[in-house]
Each structure stands twice: as structure tokens, then as C-alpha cells.
Amino acid sequence: MVDDDEALAKKRRRVEKIPLDGLSIGDLRDYIGEMQAEIGRVEAAIGAKHAARGSAESFFKKPPGG
């Protein structure tokens, strides 16, 4: 059971956490910008998948009375 918990924890951690202590305020702000850009990229991918799913569902939807 412990192996399953460890595997789940590793699966959830997709972004490697970097040590922040040695970074300047400017570096931290740059890092935030990079992370926000990545969030935007992921949100765009989610939107595209939702759109594709909606198109597929409407294509395969049974006609009324059918």
C-alpha cells in the first residue's frame, strides 16, 4: 500500500519545485512569469480539449427519435 501512495504522490508532482532561497526578488518575479505562462498554456490545452470533446459529442449524438 505504501508503494501505491508513493506512486500517486510522484504522479501528482509534475512541476519540479526549485529552491527559492537563493533567488533574488527579480528572479522570483521572472519565475512567477514563467509559471503564469505555463498556466496559460495548460488552460489553452484544456480549452482545446473541451472544444474537441464537444464537437465529437455533437457529431455522435443520436438524432431525435432515432
Side-chain angles (χ1 to χ4, degrees):
M1 190 73 159
V2 174
D3 292 333
D4 292 339
D5 292 339
E6 288 175 13
L8 184 58
K10 286 181 183 179
K11 182 178 179 184
R12 287 186 184 165
R13 191 177 339 147
R14 302 209 192 289
V15 177
E16 185 176 332
K17 294 181 180 180
I18 64 169
L20 303 177
D21 294 342
L23 298 178
S24 68
I25 292 173
D27 289 340
L28 290 168
R29 292 191 191 284
D30 290 344
Y31 183 60
I32 288 171
E34 292 169 13
M35 300 302 291
Q36 288 173 333
E38 181 64 5
I39 289 168
R41 189 178 76 88
V42 172
E43 287 176 338
I46 290 170
K49 288 180 182 274
H50 275 295
R53 176 190 241 174
S55 295
E57 287 176 353
S58 67
F59 180 78
F60 290 106
K61 195 173 193 178
K62 292 183 180 179

